[in-house]
Amino acid sequence: MPATFSRKRGDIVYMPHLQAYHRPENLEQALQLLAREGVRSAVVAGGTRIVPTLKGVDEVVDLQRIGLDEQRHGADSLSLGALVRVQSVVDDERAPDLLREVARREGPNTMRNQGTIGGAIVAPRAESELLAALLVYDAAVTVQTLGGAHPMSLSEFLADVQGSLRGGIVTDVALQTGGATAHTRVARTPQDAPIVAAVARRDGEGALHLALCGVGERPLLIAPEEIDDLQPPADFRGSSAYRRQMARVLTERVLAAL
């Protein structure tokens, strides 16, 4: 495997030696490529997060020709194909305002026009307010394999991404968009990624859905009474105790706003 040297940090960065690049025409072809024994493949959707996943990979399977880019609206529902661009959600005037706002915060314009909803789910970021919003919209993910479709909640999927994929491909995510929502955050600057963020929805039956960012390895659904049990990871932006206290404060704010 060839290596390059980083002058900035003095680190040796190993570049992958890929043996093949595939661009299948449909989902069936993509699944057949992924099902081959003894071939380590990486899946590309928008490609914005592919580089960190290439270590130890033999081949790349690019999904950009297989479709999966439809946005289907119902009275209180929204279905997003896995290859819907994040910017398409920002631009969708029929989508909930909260979803459009957190999609806008998923990254700069150039990344949003390339990155996909499926990519945000399969390569989750701990600070993704988009994922937090999908969680409170009771998102259900469909993973397609050669053996059939496997629906599951987004929360279940995020708990074990690789196990949930099982050699398959995320094809769509379905949301329940009815009810009232609220969102708040704390960050170093208005445009920075949140240190902690809270997203909440009270659905048409009065049930509360609350998700937090910045208190774990991924955004998570949580009940307000469980916040005191959190042990958030600390970094230069905030200690574990600070993040837990912000989770309490932000939760109080979104609940008051509902």
Side-chain angles (χ1 to χ4, degrees), residues 94-139:
R94 296 180 62 189
D97 290 342
L98 169 65
L99 189 63
R100 297 178 68 190
E101 172 60 19
V102 294
R104 185 184 65 79
R105 291 188 176 278
E106 190 67 6
N109 182 54
T110 51
M111 300 291 281
R112 297 196 306 267
N113 276 287
Q114 188 68 19
T116 64
I117 294 297
I121 291 172
V122 172
R125 293 189 300 109
E127 299 162 337
S128 174
E129 293 162 281
L130 174 59
L131 283 183
L134 294 178
L135 286 168
V136 303
Y137 282 123
D138 205 17

Side-chain angles (χ1 to χ4, degrees), residues 1-254:
M1 182 178 292
T4 60
F5 187 78
S6 170
R7 293 182 179 179
K8 181 178 180 181
R9 298 183 59 186
D11 297 331
I12 296 177
V13 180
Y14 288 92
M15 302 300 291
H17 181 66
L18 298 175
Q19 300 175 14
Y21 168 85
H22 303 278
R23 205 169 194 189
E25 298 291 336
N26 54 57
L27 180 60
E28 180 74 13
Q29 290 179 7
L31 292 172
Q32 289 174 350
L33 287 168
L34 294 179
R36 292 170 299 160
E37 295 289 339
V39 180
R40 299 167 296 182
S41 300
V43 174
V44 175
T48 59
R49 304 181 190 178
I50 185 63
V51 173
T53 71
L54 291 180
K55 186 176 181 180
V57 167
D58 301 318
E59 300 183 358
V60 168
V61 178
D62 187 335
L63 303 182
Q64 294 188 68
R65 287 183 178 170
I66 70 171
L68 304 181
D69 55 358
E70 293 185 8
Q71 297 172 232
R72 298 181 296 275
H73 293 268
D76 286 315
S77 65
L78 173 60
S79 178
L80 300 170
L83 268 67
V84 168
R85 305 293 175 177
V86 174
Q87 185 61 37
S88 295
V89 177
V90 177
D91 295 336
D92 186 354
E93 295 183 355
R94 296 180 62 189
D97 290 342
L98 169 65
L99 189 63
R100 297 178 68 190
E101 172 60 19
V102 294
R104 185 184 65 79
R105 291 188 176 278
E106 190 67 6
N109 182 54
T110 51
M111 300 291 281
R112 297 196 306 267
N113 276 287
Q114 188 68 19
T116 64
I117 294 297
I121 291 172
V122 172
R125 293 189 300 109
E127 299 162 337
S128 174
E129 293 162 281
L130 174 59
L131 283 183
L134 294 178
L135 286 168
V136 303
Y137 282 123
D138 205 17
V141 173
T142 299
V143 177
Q144 183 71 42
T145 69
L146 287 175
H150 304 277
M152 66 191 75
S153 69
L154 176 59
S155 181
E156 177 186 358
F157 180 90
L158 292 177
D160 181 12
V161 173
Q162 294 306 313
S164 298
L165 284 170
R166 298 188 294 271
I169 293 171
V170 172
T171 57
D172 65 82
V173 54
L175 319 180
Q176 301 301 315
T177 57
T181 59
H183 166 230
T184 191
R185 67 205 303 270
V186 60
R188 293 178 300 175
T189 71
Q191 299 304 317
D192 199 11
I195 301 171
V196 179
V199 183
R201 179 174 74 99
R202 196 171 295 281
D203 64 27
E205 298 180 354
L208 175 67
H209 307 260
L210 171 68
L212 298 176
C213 301
V215 295
E217 295 181 355
R218 62 184 186 278
L220 71 158
L221 284 172
I222 191 169
E225 59 270 20
E226 296 174 334
I227 293 176
D228 288 343
D229 297 327
L230 291 173
Q231 297 296 327
D235 63 15
F236 68 96
R237 298 186 304 160
S239 66
S240 179
Y242 171 78
R243 289 173 180 268
R244 187 166 49 250
Q245 179 60 21
M246 287 300 98
R248 296 189 193 103
V249 170
L250 298 182
T251 295
E252 291 175 359
R253 291 179 182 173
V254 293

